[in-house]
Amino acid sequence: GDIYVADTNNRRIVVFDITGTVKNVVQAVKVTVLGSNYVFKPQKLAVDSGGGLQVIAYGVNRGIMQIDDDGTFRQFIGAPAVTIDAVEWFWRQFASAEQRQRMVTYVPTEYNNVSIDDRGFLYATISTLDGASLKAAVTAKDLSGKTTPILRLNSSGLDSLRRKGFYPPVGDLSFDEKSPTQIVDVAIADDGFYTMLDTATGRFFTYDDSGNFLYMAGGKGNQTGCFKTAAAIAVKGSQMIVSDTATKSITIFEETDYAKLIKSAVIANSSGQYEVAKQLWSEVAVYNSNSYIAYIGMGKAEMRMANVLH
């Protein structure tokens, strides 16, 4: 029932109880590796089951800061990998010190948001990916996670997000390289489904635990259900809640019958109820005859039913 607020400009994290009474203030966090002049400015945070804080702070590109509730810094986790162009790397080997100074400096990308699921996995998002690299990953159907707007970090800080879908989980598959997807938040449901919010298009995209794209909603505009600047997303039961900083509004979405069918089919399949899954996927195909996951789902259900019979 506690509420944790990243109070960026006041350089602190404030903890309230459900009545709004302040219970704790975390500030002046010291991080030796960042130097004595470092100023702690938390922007986003998640809280684990033990009360530890997982924090994304302004100007920090070493990963997510893990902080105890008394303000003691523990470690960084999940530092984003640095990718260097092969040609650039080759020329660096022969360049003089002066030439290397003029070359592009490669630094890790900063995370822009973090969430935590009921198993303790951290979901971190990145909104500043290079458009050309992202486009190449989509075109090649690259499921390696080398170029990705979302990671699921385990306790060792390694990306454990499953990418078993037809395409990598990146949101929109069709975009201009100069204005690519900008994933700014992710919401995780209790059943393992996760939903990414793209502020560039105002859309949000839901995937199952294996990375299969299920459905999307939202959009840019002034109509109901669309946004000017979609900023954050949360899930509450069957509801999806999105905030818009431009219109200073919160929009609450209810699941459609189509979305409920898809989720029920995925859950039935993962729990071994293959006959039920087959029937549900066939109903999904009635709603959307172009749904490739419906036909794949029916095929897998048939195959597993046959294996059970044998």
Side-chain angles (χ1 to χ4, degrees):
D2 291 340
I3 302 166
Y4 289 72
V5 179
D7 188 0
T8 308
N9 289 337
N10 286 319
R11 305 184 295 279
R12 64 185 183 177
I13 294 170
V14 185
V15 186
F16 302 88
D17 67 16
I18 200 67
T19 67
T21 302
V22 176
K23 293 181 64 176
N24 188 24
V25 177
V26 177
Q27 59 187 350
V29 175
K30 303 297 183 184
V31 186
T32 304
V33 295
L34 297 180
S36 59
N37 294 326
Y38 170 68
V39 178
F40 178 62
K41 298 180 73 173
Q43 293 181 304
K44 303 290 182 179
L45 64 90
V47 186
D48 62 33
S49 57
L53 307 176
Q54 320 295 320
V55 180
I56 293 173
Y58 175 79
V60 176
N61 59 8
R62 292 172 178 255
I64 296 169
M65 302 174 71
Q66 293 190 320
I67 302 170
D68 291 332
D69 60 3
D70 64 358
T72 302
F73 171 76
R74 282 188 283 165
Q75 63 178 348
F76 288 106
I77 185 172
V82 178
T83 55
I84 300 177
D85 179 82
V87 175
E88 178 85 5
W89 177 87
F90 175 81
W91 286 114
R92 278 175 183 267
Q93 310 311 303
F94 303 97
S96 66
E98 185 178 348
Q99 288 172 325
R100 282 196 294 269
Q101 285 182 349
R102 292 199 297 267
M103 287 181 173
V104 176
T105 301
Y106 291 88
V107 296
T109 303
E110 294 180 21
Y111 294 124
N112 68 325
N113 219 326
V114 62
S115 297
I116 192 167
D117 68 12
D118 55 4
R119 293 177 292 174
F121 288 102
L122 290 174
Y123 287 70
T125 58
I126 301 171
S127 62
T128 56
L129 292 174
D130 174 66
S133 299
L134 193 60
K135 191 80 168 181
V138 171
T139 303
K141 299 180 182 178
D142 182 5
L143 303 178
S144 68
K146 182 180 177 181
T147 303
T148 178
I150 182 170
L151 300 89
R152 183 176 69 176
L153 304 174
N154 60 24
S155 58
S156 300
L158 300 176
D159 180 20
S160 61
L161 189 72
R162 299 181 67 192
R163 298 176 176 87
K164 303 292 184 182
F166 198 66
Y167 285 95
V170 299
D172 257 319
L173 299 176
S174 178
F175 54 84
D176 189 320
E177 291 182 9
K178 295 181 180 178
S179 54
T181 291
Q182 288 182 284
I183 302 300
V184 294
D185 198 6
V186 57
I188 308 109
D190 294 337
D191 44 28
F193 296 88
Y194 61 93
T195 302
M196 305 190 308
L197 178 65
D198 178 9
T199 193
T201 63
R203 300 190 186 105
F204 54 90
F205 305 81
T206 298
Y207 298 82
D208 67 13
D209 187 58
S210 294
N212 293 298
F213 169 66
L214 304 181
Y215 47 82
M216 56 165 276
K220 278 275 192 179
N222 298 316
Q223 306 96 318
T224 301
C226 293
F227 310 98
K228 286 189 175 180
T229 307
I233 190 166
V235 61
K236 180 183 178 183
S238 62
Q239 295 179 332
M240 204 64 68
I241 305 165
V242 182
S243 68
D244 187 333
T245 55
T247 59
K248 301 178 182 178
S249 65
I250 292 175
T251 303
I252 301 174
F253 294 81
E254 289 282 358
E255 282 184 350
T256 62
D257 290 339
Y258 177 66
K260 290 177 183 176
L261 266 179
I262 291 177
K263 293 182 73 172
S264 297
V266 173
I267 293 170
N269 185 73
S270 61
S271 61
Q273 302 176 63
Y274 303 127
E275 283 194 48
V276 174
K278 179 186 174 184
Q279 176 59 36
L280 291 171
W281 282 125
S282 66
E283 292 179 38
V284 171
V286 171
Y287 272 93
N288 180 6
S289 60
N290 293 318
S291 174
Y292 73 89
I293 59 169
Y295 299 110
I296 291 174
M298 284 187 279
K300 286 184 176 179
E302 286 276 11
M303 181 180 68
R304 287 166 179 163
M305 287 164 59
N307 289 338
V308 169
L309 291 174
H310 285 90

Short mmCIF file of all heavy atoms in Angstrom, two decimals, residues 83 129-150 163 165-175 177 180-181:
data_model
loop_
_atom_site.label_atom_id
_atom_site.label_comp_id
_atom_site.label_asym_id
_atom_site.label_seq_id
_atom_site.Cartn_x
_atom_site.Cartn_y
_atom_site.Cartn_z
N THR A 83 27.47 -0.72 -28.76
CA THR A 83 27.73 -1.30 -30.08
C THR A 83 28.51 -0.30 -30.91
O THR A 83 28.15 0.87 -31.01
CB THR A 83 26.41 -1.65 -30.80
OG1 THR A 83 25.59 -0.49 -30.87
CG2 THR A 83 25.65 -2.74 -30.05
N LEU A 129 16.93 4.41 -29.32
CA LEU A 129 17.61 3.50 -30.25
C LEU A 129 17.79 4.14 -31.62
O LEU A 129 16.95 4.94 -32.07
CB LEU A 129 16.81 2.20 -30.39
CG LEU A 129 16.74 1.31 -29.16
CD1 LEU A 129 15.80 0.14 -29.42
CD2 LEU A 129 18.11 0.80 -28.76
N ASP A 130 18.87 3.79 -32.29
CA ASP A 130 19.12 4.26 -33.64
C ASP A 130 18.08 3.68 -34.58
O ASP A 130 17.86 2.46 -34.62
CB ASP A 130 20.53 3.82 -34.07
CG ASP A 130 20.82 4.16 -35.51
OD1 ASP A 130 20.89 5.34 -35.83
OD2 ASP A 130 20.94 3.21 -36.31
N GLY A 131 17.43 4.55 -35.36
CA GLY A 131 16.35 4.11 -36.24
C GLY A 131 16.78 3.10 -37.28
O GLY A 131 16.07 2.13 -37.56
N ALA A 132 17.96 3.30 -37.86
CA ALA A 132 18.46 2.39 -38.90
C ALA A 132 18.73 1.00 -38.31
O ALA A 132 18.39 -0.03 -38.93
CB ALA A 132 19.72 2.94 -39.53
N SER A 133 19.31 0.95 -37.12
CA SER A 133 19.60 -0.33 -36.47
C SER A 133 18.32 -1.06 -36.12
O SER A 133 18.21 -2.29 -36.29
CB SER A 133 20.45 -0.11 -35.22
OG SER A 133 21.69 0.49 -35.54
N LEU A 134 17.33 -0.31 -35.62
CA LEU A 134 16.06 -0.91 -35.26
C LEU A 134 15.34 -1.44 -36.50
O LEU A 134 14.76 -2.53 -36.49
CB LEU A 134 15.19 0.11 -34.53
CG LEU A 134 13.95 -0.42 -33.82
CD1 LEU A 134 14.33 -1.43 -32.75
CD2 LEU A 134 13.16 0.73 -33.21
N LYS A 135 15.40 -0.66 -37.58
CA LYS A 135 14.79 -1.07 -38.85
C LYS A 135 15.44 -2.36 -39.36
O LYS A 135 14.75 -3.29 -39.82
CB LYS A 135 14.96 0.03 -39.88
CG LYS A 135 14.13 -0.16 -41.15
CD LYS A 135 12.71 0.26 -40.93
CE LYS A 135 11.94 0.36 -42.22
NZ LYS A 135 10.55 0.80 -42.00
N ALA A 136 16.76 -2.44 -39.26
CA ALA A 136 17.50 -3.62 -39.71
C ALA A 136 17.11 -4.84 -38.89
O ALA A 136 16.96 -5.95 -39.43
CB ALA A 136 19.00 -3.38 -39.63
N ALA A 137 16.92 -4.66 -37.59
CA ALA A 137 16.54 -5.78 -36.72
C ALA A 137 15.16 -6.31 -37.08
O ALA A 137 14.93 -7.53 -37.08
CB ALA A 137 16.59 -5.34 -35.26
N VAL A 138 14.23 -5.40 -37.39
CA VAL A 138 12.88 -5.81 -37.78
C VAL A 138 12.89 -6.52 -39.12
O VAL A 138 12.28 -7.58 -39.30
CB VAL A 138 11.94 -4.58 -37.81
CG1 VAL A 138 10.60 -4.97 -38.43
CG2 VAL A 138 11.74 -4.02 -36.42
N THR A 139 13.61 -5.94 -40.09
CA THR A 139 13.67 -6.52 -41.43
C THR A 139 14.28 -7.92 -41.40
O THR A 139 13.81 -8.83 -42.09
CB THR A 139 14.51 -5.62 -42.36
OG1 THR A 139 13.93 -4.30 -42.38
CG2 THR A 139 14.55 -6.17 -43.78
N ALA A 140 15.32 -8.10 -40.59
CA ALA A 140 16.00 -9.39 -40.50
C ALA A 140 15.30 -10.34 -39.54
O ALA A 140 15.74 -11.48 -39.37
CB ALA A 140 17.44 -9.19 -40.06
N LYS A 141 14.22 -9.88 -38.89
CA LYS A 141 13.52 -10.66 -37.87
C LYS A 141 14.52 -11.15 -36.82
O LYS A 141 14.53 -12.33 -36.43
CB LYS A 141 12.76 -11.83 -38.50
CG LYS A 141 11.69 -11.40 -39.49
CD LYS A 141 10.96 -12.58 -40.10
CE LYS A 141 9.95 -12.10 -41.13
NZ LYS A 141 9.24 -13.24 -41.79
N ASP A 142 15.37 -10.23 -36.39
CA ASP A 142 16.43 -10.54 -35.44
C ASP A 142 15.85 -10.72 -34.04
O ASP A 142 15.39 -9.77 -33.42
CB ASP A 142 17.46 -9.41 -35.45
CG ASP A 142 18.63 -9.66 -34.52
OD1 ASP A 142 18.68 -10.76 -33.93
OD2 ASP A 142 19.48 -8.76 -34.37
N LEU A 143 15.91 -11.95 -33.54
CA LEU A 143 15.36 -12.26 -32.23
C LEU A 143 16.44 -12.37 -31.16
O LEU A 143 16.20 -12.86 -30.06
CB LEU A 143 14.56 -13.58 -32.29
CG LEU A 143 13.43 -13.62 -33.32
CD1 LEU A 143 12.77 -15.00 -33.33
CD2 LEU A 143 12.39 -12.55 -33.03
N SER A 144 17.64 -11.91 -31.48
CA SER A 144 18.76 -12.03 -30.55
C SER A 144 18.67 -11.03 -29.39
O SER A 144 19.28 -11.24 -28.34
CB SER A 144 20.08 -11.83 -31.29
OG SER A 144 20.21 -10.48 -31.73
N GLY A 145 17.97 -9.93 -29.60
CA GLY A 145 17.90 -8.90 -28.57
C GLY A 145 19.07 -7.94 -28.61
O GLY A 145 19.23 -7.10 -27.73
N LYS A 146 19.88 -8.03 -29.64
CA LYS A 146 21.04 -7.13 -29.77
C LYS A 146 20.58 -5.68 -29.89
O LYS A 146 21.18 -4.78 -29.30
CB LYS A 146 21.87 -7.54 -30.99
CG LYS A 146 23.12 -6.70 -31.20
CD LYS A 146 23.89 -7.15 -32.43
CE LYS A 146 25.11 -6.26 -32.67
NZ LYS A 146 25.86 -6.66 -33.89
N THR A 147 19.54 -5.46 -30.68
CA THR A 147 18.94 -4.13 -30.80
C THR A 147 17.50 -4.25 -30.32
O THR A 147 16.66 -4.84 -31.00
CB THR A 147 18.97 -3.63 -32.25
OG1 THR A 147 20.32 -3.61 -32.72
CG2 THR A 147 18.37 -2.23 -32.35
N THR A 148 17.21 -3.74 -29.15
CA THR A 148 15.89 -3.94 -28.56
C THR A 148 15.50 -2.76 -27.67
O THR A 148 16.36 -2.20 -26.98
CB THR A 148 15.85 -5.24 -27.73
OG1 THR A 148 14.56 -5.39 -27.13
CG2 THR A 148 16.90 -5.22 -26.64
N PRO A 149 14.22 -2.37 -27.67
CA PRO A 149 13.77 -1.29 -26.80
C PRO A 149 13.37 -1.78 -25.41
O PRO A 149 13.00 -0.99 -24.56
CB PRO A 149 12.56 -0.73 -27.55
CG PRO A 149 11.99 -1.93 -28.24
CD PRO A 149 13.17 -2.78 -28.63
N ILE A 150 13.43 -3.11 -25.20
CA ILE A 150 13.03 -3.65 -23.89
C ILE A 150 13.89 -4.85 -23.52
O ILE A 150 14.25 -5.67 -24.37
CB ILE A 150 11.53 -4.05 -23.91
CG1 ILE A 150 11.11 -4.56 -22.52
CG2 ILE A 150 11.23 -5.07 -24.99
CD1 ILE A 150 9.61 -4.74 -22.37
N ARG A 163 12.20 -14.15 -26.77
CA ARG A 163 11.84 -13.58 -28.07
C ARG A 163 11.60 -14.73 -29.04
O ARG A 163 12.43 -15.07 -29.85
CB ARG A 163 12.95 -12.65 -28.56
CG ARG A 163 13.20 -11.45 -27.65
CD ARG A 163 14.36 -10.60 -28.11
NE ARG A 163 14.52 -9.40 -27.28
CZ ARG A 163 15.23 -9.37 -26.15
NH1 ARG A 163 15.87 -10.47 -25.75
NH2 ARG A 163 15.33 -8.25 -25.46
N GLY A 165 8.64 -14.93 -30.92
CA GLY A 165 7.59 -14.56 -31.85
C GLY A 165 8.10 -14.51 -33.28
O GLY A 165 9.26 -14.80 -33.58
N PHE A 166 7.21 -14.14 -34.19
CA PHE A 166 7.55 -14.05 -35.61
C PHE A 166 8.49 -12.86 -35.85
O PHE A 166 9.35 -12.90 -36.71
CB PHE A 166 6.27 -13.92 -36.43
CG PHE A 166 6.45 -14.25 -37.88
CD1 PHE A 166 6.77 -15.54 -38.28
CD2 PHE A 166 6.31 -13.28 -38.86
CE1 PHE A 166 6.94 -15.85 -39.63
CE2 PHE A 166 6.48 -13.58 -40.20
CZ PHE A 166 6.79 -14.87 -40.58
N TYR A 167 8.28 -11.80 -35.07
CA TYR A 167 9.13 -10.61 -35.12
C TYR A 167 9.62 -10.28 -33.71
O TYR A 167 9.01 -10.70 -32.73
CB TYR A 167 8.35 -9.40 -35.66
CG TYR A 167 8.11 -9.42 -37.15
CD1 TYR A 167 6.93 -9.92 -37.68
CD2 TYR A 167 9.07 -8.93 -38.03
CE1 TYR A 167 6.71 -9.93 -39.05
CE2 TYR A 167 8.86 -8.93 -39.40
CZ TYR A 167 7.68 -9.43 -39.90
OH TYR A 167 7.47 -9.45 -41.26
N PRO A 168 10.71 -9.53 -33.58
CA PRO A 168 11.15 -9.12 -32.24
C PRO A 168 10.14 -8.17 -31.62
O PRO A 168 9.48 -7.42 -32.34
CB PRO A 168 12.49 -8.42 -32.51
CG PRO A 168 12.40 -7.96 -33.93
CD PRO A 168 11.60 -9.00 -34.65
N PRO A 169 10.00 -8.18 -30.30
CA PRO A 169 9.06 -7.26 -29.63
C PRO A 169 9.60 -5.83 -29.60
O PRO A 169 10.36 -5.45 -28.71
CB PRO A 169 8.94 -7.85 -28.22
CG PRO A 169 10.22 -8.59 -28.01
CD PRO A 169 10.65 -9.10 -29.35
N VAL A 170 9.22 -5.06 -30.60
CA VAL A 170 9.72 -3.68 -30.73
C VAL A 170 8.59 -2.67 -30.85
O VAL A 170 8.84 -1.47 -30.97
CB VAL A 170 10.66 -3.53 -31.95
CG1 VAL A 170 11.88 -4.42 -31.81
CG2 VAL A 170 9.92 -3.82 -33.25
N GLY A 171 7.33 -3.12 -30.83
CA GLY A 171 6.22 -2.21 -31.08
C GLY A 171 5.90 -2.19 -32.56
O GLY A 171 5.85 -3.23 -33.21
N ASP A 172 5.71 -0.99 -33.13
CA ASP A 172 5.40 -0.87 -34.55
C ASP A 172 6.50 -1.48 -35.41
O ASP A 172 7.69 -1.27 -35.17
CB ASP A 172 5.24 0.60 -34.93
CG ASP A 172 3.78 0.98 -35.08
OD1 ASP A 172 3.01 0.18 -35.63
OD2 ASP A 172 3.41 2.08 -34.63
N LEU A 173 6.09 -2.22 -36.44
CA LEU A 173 7.05 -2.83 -37.36
C LEU A 173 7.31 -1.96 -38.57
O LEU A 173 8.29 -2.15 -39.29
CB LEU A 173 6.54 -4.20 -37.81
CG LEU A 173 6.32 -5.23 -36.70
CD1 LEU A 173 5.70 -6.50 -37.27
CD2 LEU A 173 7.62 -5.54 -35.98
N SER A 174 6.44 -0.99 -38.81
CA SER A 174 6.59 -0.10 -39.95
C SER A 174 6.79 1.33 -39.43
O SER A 174 5.90 1.89 -38.78
CB SER A 174 5.35 -0.17 -40.85
OG SER A 174 5.47 0.72 -41.93
N PHE A 175 7.96 1.89 -39.70
CA PHE A 175 8.25 3.24 -39.21
C PHE A 175 9.36 3.86 -40.05
O PHE A 175 10.12 3.16 -40.73
CB PHE A 175 8.66 3.21 -37.73
CG PHE A 175 9.81 2.29 -37.44
CD1 PHE A 175 11.12 2.68 -37.60
CD2 PHE A 175 9.56 0.99 -37.00
CE1 PHE A 175 12.17 1.82 -37.34
CE2 PHE A 175 10.61 0.12 -36.72
CZ PHE A 175 11.91 0.54 -36.90
N GLU A 177 12.91 5.60 -40.42
CA GLU A 177 14.17 5.51 -39.67
C GLU A 177 14.47 6.80 -38.91
O GLU A 177 15.12 6.77 -37.86
CB GLU A 177 15.33 5.20 -40.62
CG GLU A 177 15.30 3.80 -41.20
CD GLU A 177 16.50 3.51 -42.08
OE1 GLU A 177 17.42 4.35 -42.09
OE2 GLU A 177 16.50 2.48 -42.77
N PRO A 180 11.75 6.69 -35.37
CA PRO A 180 11.41 5.31 -35.01
C PRO A 180 10.56 5.21 -33.75
O PRO A 180 10.25 6.22 -33.10
CB PRO A 180 12.78 4.67 -34.79
CG PRO A 180 13.61 5.80 -34.28
CD PRO A 180 13.13 7.02 -35.02
N THR A 181 10.23 3.99 -33.42
CA THR A 181 9.53 3.69 -32.18
C THR A 181 10.26 4.29 -30.99
O THR A 181 11.48 4.27 -30.92
CB THR A 181 9.45 2.15 -32.02
OG1 THR A 181 8.56 1.63 -33.00
CG2 THR A 181 8.96 1.76 -30.64
#
